[in-house]
Amino acid sequence: MAGKKSTLEKTELTKLEKARIHYLFLCLFSEGSKFLIMYIIFHALHMTGEYLITLIVLLSVRNFSGGIHLKHYTSCLIFTFTFILGIILVSRVLVLNPVIESLILLAAASLLFITGPVTSTNRPDLSLEQNKAFRRTGAVIILIYSVLFLCMRTLTCHDLIFWVIVFQILQLIAAKMIKERREHHEKLYEEA
């Protein structure tokens, strides 16, 4: 068998495919290391469970809504840590009436449907169909959380999940405003 090459060895990757694989490993390393650094910090703060729950809920919504994307590793790490810490702290001190929470979640789903998604400037824009699909999926996810809230009011992490969604929608609105402002300035620059 020494003379035969496997199918994998025979496969030649294009430059684009190699670049995508390289980008994938960079993303995995970057996101993995940020996760680990924050895990260690939140563990030291005795907030490991809240951190993990926040991350799971945030990823389930953010994957379809987008948000603020920072260009540098350190600024992204600091922003993400501060964002998650803010969610955890607010959820511990600010408990709202269930009716008000439900109305806010319905508004959040509507805002995501109208505003989202906001993609990173490092990625190509979504097609119209992708945009619609992401918008619908994100809004449905928030509506599912809303139904869970109505049915499972005694859920231990109820307030934490609520504030994750609220913070993410606020971030989405900020990202949309930043993106529109950037596009406006680019358009002005092109016209000049």
Side-chain angles (χ1 to χ4, degrees):
M1 287 265 203
K4 285 189 170 184
K5 287 186 176 181
S6 69
T7 306
L8 186 59
E9 291 174 321
K10 291 178 188 176
T11 304
E12 293 287 329
L13 297 175
T14 66
K15 265 186 162 181
L16 179 60
E17 291 169 329
K18 288 178 184 176
R20 284 183 176 161
I21 290 171
H22 179 72
Y23 180 71
L24 171 68
F25 283 112
L26 282 176
C27 288
L28 288 175
F29 176 74
S30 174
E31 298 308 313
S33 64
K34 283 187 269 188
F35 167 80
L36 189 58
I37 290 167
M38 287 190 290
Y39 181 87
I40 291 167
I41 295 169
F42 281 110
H43 183 73
L45 296 171
H46 305 288
M47 297 176 170
T48 311
E50 290 164 301
Y51 166 63
L52 294 174
I53 291 167
T54 299
L55 208 57
I56 291 167
V57 175
L58 188 59
L59 290 175
S60 71
V61 177
R62 187 176 166 88
N63 280 338
F64 298 100
S65 66
I68 294 173
H69 296 275
L70 301 171
K71 294 181 182 179
H72 303 288
Y73 178 89
T74 306
S75 57
C76 180
L77 176 62
I78 292 169
F79 177 80
T80 305
F81 172 76
T82 306
F83 187 74
I84 292 174
L85 182 62
I87 291 168
I88 293 170
L89 295 177
V90 167
S91 75
R92 287 180 172 188
V93 297
L94 193 54
V95 178
L96 300 178
N97 177 297
V99 174
I100 293 172
E101 283 182 344
S102 298
L103 292 173
I104 290 172
L105 288 173
L106 288 174
S110 301
L111 282 168
L112 192 148
F113 188 76
I114 294 166
T115 310
V118 177
T119 56
S120 168
T121 55
N122 297 333
R123 292 184 179 175
D125 286 333
L126 298 172
S127 70
L128 186 59
E129 283 304 310
Q130 289 172 319
N131 195 306
K132 286 179 183 177
F134 275 56
R135 230 188 267 177
R136 278 191 303 267
T137 305
V140 166
I141 288 170
I142 292 178
L143 289 173
I144 289 170
Y145 281 122
S146 300
V147 169
L148 287 174
F149 272 33
L150 293 172
C151 298
M152 300 163 59
R153 181 72 191 139
T154 58
L155 185 65
T156 308
C157 54
H158 178 275
D159 296 317
L160 181 64
I161 294 170
F162 171 77
W163 286 109
V164 170
I165 294 168
V166 170
F167 271 56
Q168 176 54 29
I169 295 303
L170 293 173
Q171 184 190 147
L172 174 66
I173 292 167
K176 184 76 166 183
M177 292 168 63
I178 291 166
K179 187 173 186 175
E180 286 176 356
R181 184 173 180 178
R182 184 179 300 127
E183 289 171 355
H184 176 73
H185 284 288
E186 286 172 1
K187 192 180 276 188
L188 287 176
Y189 181 74
E190 288 174 4
E191 292 174 0

